[in-house]
Amino acid sequence: MDQELSPFLLFTKKHIKPETPHLKLELALGRELTAESRCYVLVTIHRAGSDSHDSPCILSWDQNDAIAALLLFQHTSDGLRKIEIASETENPTSKTPALQTSFKVNGSNPSLRELAPGGKERFMMTMPKRFRDVLVEGEKYELVWPGGEIVIWDWGTKKEYLGMELGRKMPKTCLPATRVTIAFNKFGQGATEEKKRGSPPPIEEGERIPGAPKMSVTLECNKSVPLDGMATVKITVLYEAPADSPDITFHSFPFQSWYGPREGYRLYRRRANTDSNSWEAIIDDTISFMIVDDPDVSVHVTQDGNFATLQPGQTWSTSKRLQDQGLGILPDDVKVGDVFCIVFKGVELDWWDWGGIEDHGETVVKLPCFLKGRVVEPRDNGGRPKLIVPASNLVDFTIV
C-alpha cells in the first residue's frame, strides 16, 4: 500500500531539517462512521523528545490547513484508487489553500499550537460534506495527509509571544505524510444482531443537549494481539470547545466501566476462517461483590481521582485491559485469526460543572459507599443541562 501512495506524498520524515522541531502527525477516526453520522478525525501533532532545541516551540496549523491538502483513496480489487473530491465552491481558486500569514498572538488564536520536547497537541477535525458524500457504505478508504511545511513557527511559548507578532520563519518546519483507514459502518452487522436482541442503538451526536459542553471519546489499541497476550484499549476524552470557552470539571469514572443499554463498552467477534462478515456480541457475564448498604461518601471533586478538569481542546485519557470488567472478557474459545471490535456506545454524565480546579476547591458531592457509581447528591446535577456523550469510533484487533 505504501508503494501505491508514495507518488502522491509531498513531504516525509526524510524532509525534516535538523534545525527545526521534529514533528509527526497522527490521524485517527474520531467515532464510528455510519450513514447518519459525520466524519470526525482526531488529529494529533507529536514532537520528538529530542531534536535540535530544548525549548518549546509554537506553530500555526489547524483544520483548514489539513483539509486543503487531504487526499482520499478507495480500496479496490486492483489496489488503491484515488477519489476526486469536489472543491468547496465552484470557484476554481478555492482548491488553493490560503497562504500562511503572520498574526498577533493574543491568547485566543485557535490555530496556535505549543509543543514542548516530547509533547503533543490534539484537536478534532470535522471532514467537510464533500468528503462524506463520496463514501460508499461497506467500502474501505485511506485518508492521506501528503505532508506539508509550516512557515509560521518559532521557538518559545505562547506566553512569551503574548502581544507580539508571530511571523514566517526559515527554514520551514515539516509535518510528514501520514494516513488513516476509514471503514464505512465496519461493524454494522454486529450492531444489527444486537438490535435483534432488543438492545437500543448507540447514542448519536444529535442527542446532545443545547447548553451543555460537547465531549467525545476516541479509542485506540494495537492491531495485533498474541493469543496468550493482553489486549489494552486507550480511551481519550476530548472537550470540544472554542479556546475562549470556560473550563469544565466532570465525573470521569463513567468513561471507564459503566454498562447500560445505551452506555458503556461493547465487544464483538468475527471468527477466524469464516466467509461470513457477521459479528457476534461478547457478553460480559462476570460477577463482582461489593458492600452497598454503608452510608454515602462525601468527596471533594478536585481531590478525588474519579473527577477531572479540562480546558477547551484538552483531552483526558485512561486505559483498560479487555479482561477487566466493563470492557468484556475475551471468550475461552478465542483462536488465532479471530478479529475483535470494541466500541463505546456513549454515556450521559451524572455530574459536571463549569470551571476548573480553582473554581471547585470547595465543591463536594456524594458517591455511594463503594465509590464506583453514580453521584447520588446532587441528584439532578444542580439543574444543569444533561451532558450527553455520543458513541466513539470503533477499533479492532486480530489474534495472532
Side-chain angles (χ1 to χ4, degrees):
M1 182 191 304
D2 292 338
Q3 291 181 345
E4 293 180 87
L5 293 176
S6 59
F8 300 92
L9 305 184
L10 303 177
F11 296 91
T12 62
K13 61 183 180 180
K14 70 180 182 181
H15 293 98
I16 296 177
K17 297 178 177 62
E19 63 271 34
T20 65
H22 293 189
L23 305 178
K24 182 181 76 170
L25 186 68
E26 180 183 351
L27 304 177
L29 193 60
R31 57 171 296 183
E32 178 204 1
L33 184 60
T34 67
E36 293 79 24
S37 67
R38 296 181 182 180
C39 184
Y40 294 95
V41 177
L42 181 64
V43 180
T44 306
I45 306 175
H46 298 267
R47 181 181 167 192
S50 59
D51 48 30
S52 62
H53 217 284
D54 294 332
S55 299
C57 70
I58 53 176
L59 54 90
S60 177
W61 196 82
D62 65 6
Q63 169 169 317
N64 295 328
D65 298 305
I67 291 175
L70 285 174
L71 305 174
L72 186 67
F73 296 82
Q74 181 180 6
H75 287 259
T76 73
S77 57
D78 298 323
L80 293 178
R81 179 175 69 90
K82 186 174 183 292
I83 303 295
E84 296 300 327
I85 304 296
S87 59
E88 188 170 6
T89 68
E90 294 182 358
N91 182 355
T93 61
S94 65
K95 292 185 179 181
T96 303
L99 294 176
Q100 293 181 329
T101 57
S102 58
F103 58 89
K104 188 175 182 178
V105 177
N106 57 21
S108 60
N109 309 99
S111 66
L112 189 60
R113 317 287 171 186
E114 180 178 320
L115 292 164
K120 63 183 178 182
E121 279 264 354
R122 278 184 163 175
F123 63 92
M124 190 69 77
M125 177 171 65
T126 304
M127 299 303 298
K129 187 175 183 294
R130 62 184 187 274
F131 278 82
R132 178 66 181 77
D133 287 346
V134 301
L135 302 180
V136 178
E137 188 172 359
E139 297 297 321
K140 188 164 69 172
Y141 301 84
E142 296 295 324
L143 185 66
V144 178
W145 162 254
E149 292 184 311
I150 300 173
V151 67
I152 306 298
W153 77 277
D154 207 345
W155 302 110
T157 65
K158 294 180 182 179
K159 184 176 181 180
E160 292 170 347
Y161 257 88
L162 194 63
M164 300 171 58
E165 185 175 274
L166 180 63
R168 300 165 66 90
K169 183 177 177 66
M170 301 298 288
K172 302 173 185 178
T173 186
C174 174
L175 196 58
T178 189
R179 61 183 170 86
V180 61
T181 301
I182 297 179
F184 189 174
N185 204 21
K186 189 173 183 180
F187 81 119
Q189 181 65 36
T192 300
E193 291 177 2
E194 184 172 351
K195 286 182 182 179
K196 289 179 180 178
R197 291 192 300 273
S199 178
I203 296 175
E204 291 288 340
E205 181 192 11
E207 297 178 54
R208 284 170 165 163
I209 305 298
K214 290 185 177 182
M215 305 183 79
S216 57
V217 175
T218 301
L219 307 183
E220 300 173 78
C221 71
N222 292 333
K223 299 297 291 183
S224 301
V225 174
L227 182 61
D228 57 351
M230 180 76 70
T232 302
V233 177
K234 181 181 179 182
I235 305 160
T236 302
V237 179
L238 172 69
Y239 173 27
E240 302 179 33
D244 58 351
S245 301
D247 299 352
I248 59 170
T249 300
F250 62 98
H251 192 199
S252 58
F253 186 73
F255 294 106
Q256 300 179 60
S257 296
W258 282 5
Y259 187 97
R262 300 194 70 199
E263 294 180 315
Y265 297 86
R266 296 297 188 275
L267 178 66
Y268 302 94
R269 173 170 64 173
R270 187 179 67 205
R271 294 179 181 270
N273 301 321
T274 62
D275 296 330
S276 173
N277 194 37
S278 64
W279 296 82
E280 59 186 65
I282 305 300
I283 305 301
D284 180 8
D285 57 359
T286 56
I287 299 174
S288 61
F289 171 80
M290 63 181 68
I291 299 173
V292 297
D293 55 356
D294 281 350
D296 297 332
V297 179
S298 297
V299 299
H300 286 80
V301 298
T302 58
Q303 300 174 18
D304 188 273
N306 289 316
F307 292 81
T309 294
L310 287 177
Q311 297 176 354
Q314 281 190 333
T315 60
W316 173 86
S317 298
T318 185
S319 61
K320 294 286 290 183
R321 293 179 176 179
L322 277 179
Q323 281 78 355
D324 286 353
Q325 290 181 343
L327 271 180
I329 295 178
L330 298 183
D332 293 336
D333 61 347
V334 61
K335 296 179 180 179
V336 172
D338 283 356
V339 180
F340 290 87
C341 286
I342 313 134
V343 66
F344 179 71
K345 291 190 71 173
V347 73
E348 176 188 323
L349 282 192
D350 57 331
W351 188 91
W352 71 272
D353 201 356
W354 299 112
I357 295 177
E358 67 278 6
D359 303 301
H360 289 287
E362 301 300 322
T363 300
V364 175
V365 300
K366 285 189 176 181
L367 293 172
C369 59
F370 51 89
L371 299 179
K372 307 298 185 182
R374 299 177 186 270
V375 171
V376 296
E377 188 179 320
R379 293 186 180 275
D380 65 346
N381 193 39
R384 289 177 290 278
K386 295 179 180 180
L387 202 171
I388 306 296
V389 183
S392 72
N393 63 316
L394 68 93
V395 290
D396 59 23
F397 61 90
T398 303
I399 303 298
V400 296

